[in-house]
């Protein structure tokens, strides 16, 4: 982060000088200007990441519960199939999905990009949550049901508090995977859905080191913020569990 911070304020910085010969705010003026589209990319990236997290929870929790708590024929095959989006090169996956999405009118749309981000993000979510459910006991759920709780109340008051730390970690992985997608966004979004990686990548080739550094900082900070909030949430959860244990 230190070189990025220095580069973002540098006008001229050449070897062997330890610090830039000239300083300036040109890169940051560009970042905050409407022509940079950084603000648009930031909002779109955040919206996509949160939508992908929600979709992962809806789709991934049932799958993770089954994989973590049940033994059935072909389970290893299912786990291997879930891992395929990580194993197969992203470009190949995105090109195959693009053909299907064009046919169904999902290409060049926000919904299409969110769905294609879900493909590489979902395996991480399912694998993390499957390990959580592998150590989960259903006795409390069964007790709640015998006392008259419906499935929704049982999930909200029994299941969710028990799996919450793992759910936070799985959601963090999902958020970061969606946040960093470039190839999938480019192919499915068709240049109409502008995210921060779409804004950043043209500058990485060396067109402007200062602008690339400034945009990189904007790109990194939300991910660091999510990581800090996640760590604090898990720390509070651990403290609450520890306090309950002492009681």
């Amino acid at each position: 982060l230190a070189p990025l911070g220095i580069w973002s304020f540098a006008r001229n910085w050449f070897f062997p000088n330890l610090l830039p010969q000239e300083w300036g705010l040109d890169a940051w003026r560009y970042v905050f200007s409407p022509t940079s589209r950084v603000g648009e990319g930031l909002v779109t990236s955040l919206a996509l990441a949160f939508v992908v997290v929600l979709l992962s929870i809806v789709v991934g929790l049932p799958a993770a519960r089954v994989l973590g708590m049940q033994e059935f024929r072909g389970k290893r095959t299912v786990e291997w199939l879930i891992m395929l989006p990580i194993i197969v090169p992203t470009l190949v996956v995105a090109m195959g999905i693009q053909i299907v999405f064009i046919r169904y009118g999902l290409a060049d749309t926000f919904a299409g990009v969110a769905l294609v981000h879900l493909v590489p993000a979902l395996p991480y979510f399912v694998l993390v949550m499957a390990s959580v459910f592998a150590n989960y006991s259903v006795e409390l759920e069964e007790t709640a049901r015998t006392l008259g709780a419906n499935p929704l109340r049982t999930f909200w008051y029994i299941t969710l508090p028990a799996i919450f730390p793992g759910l936070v970690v799985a959601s963090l992985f999902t958020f970061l995977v969606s946040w960093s997608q470039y190839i999938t966004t480019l192919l499915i979004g068709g240049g109409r859905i502008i995210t921060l990686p779409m804004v950043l990548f043209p500058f990485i080739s060396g067109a402007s080191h200062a602008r690339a550094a400034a945009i990189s900082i904007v790109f990194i900070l939300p991910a660091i913020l999510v990581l800090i909030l996640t760590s604090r949430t898990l720390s509070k959860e651990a403290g609450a569990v520890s306090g309950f244990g002492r009681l």
Side-chain angles (χ1 to χ4, degrees):
L1 288 176
L4 287 177
I6 296 174
W7 260 119
S8 67
F9 292 100
R11 284 183 177 173
N12 291 309
W13 190 8
F14 300 104
F15 181 84
N17 296 287
L18 184 61
L19 293 174
Q21 292 85 8
E22 293 185 47
W23 300 82
L25 296 174
D26 298 346
W28 289 104
R29 290 193 187 99
Y30 174 79
V31 167
F32 290 107
S33 67
T35 56
S36 70
R37 308 190 74 175
V38 171
E40 177 187 352
L42 177 62
V43 172
T44 304
S45 292
L46 286 173
L48 281 170
F50 282 117
V51 169
V52 171
V53 169
L54 292 177
L55 290 175
S56 296
I57 293 174
V58 173
V59 177
L61 268 184
R65 184 182 176 103
V66 172
L67 290 175
M69 301 180 65
Q70 303 293 330
E71 291 295 334
F72 53 90
R73 182 179 298 178
K75 178 179 178 179
R76 297 304 176 191
T77 303
V78 173
E79 292 175 340
W80 184 78
L81 290 174
I82 290 175
M83 288 288 293
L84 273 181
I86 302 175
I87 300 172
V88 178
T90 305
L91 182 61
V92 176
V93 175
M95 290 180 65
I97 293 175
Q98 185 187 30
I99 298 172
V100 178
F101 277 19
I102 291 174
R103 183 178 303 170
Y104 290 101
L106 290 170
D108 302 342
T109 65
F110 182 91
V113 174
L115 288 175
V116 79
H117 282 197
L118 184 65
V119 173
L122 192 59
Y124 293 97
F125 184 92
V126 173
L127 291 176
V128 172
M129 292 309 301
S131 65
V132 172
F133 279 112
N135 299 301
Y136 177 73
S137 178
V138 297
E139 280 79 6
L140 286 177
E141 288 186 6
E142 294 172 349
T143 302
R145 295 299 300 273
T146 59
L147 293 175
N150 59 38
L152 181 60
R153 289 177 63 85
T154 301
F155 174 80
W156 186 257
Y157 290 105
I158 303 298
T159 309
L160 184 59
I163 66 172
F164 185 74
L167 183 62
V168 171
V169 174
S171 298
L172 171 63
F173 276 114
T174 306
F175 180 93
L176 293 177
V177 171
S178 173
W179 183 258
S180 61
Q181 291 298 304
Y182 173 72
I183 294 295
T184 54
T185 305
L186 179 64
L187 289 179
I188 305 302
R192 297 184 181 181
I193 307 300
I194 303 299
T195 60
L196 268 183
M198 296 281 291
V199 177
L200 172 61
F201 268 65
F203 290 100
I204 294 180
S205 61
S208 172
H209 293 300
R211 291 182 179 182
I215 299 174
S216 295
I217 292 174
V218 176
F219 178 70
I220 293 170
L221 285 181
I224 294 177
L225 180 60
V226 170
L227 180 61
I228 292 173
L229 293 176
T230 301
S231 300
R232 289 186 176 182
T233 301
L234 293 177
S235 298
K236 291 179 181 179
E237 188 74 17
V241 172
S242 176
F244 180 77
R246 288 196 297 270
L247 290 176

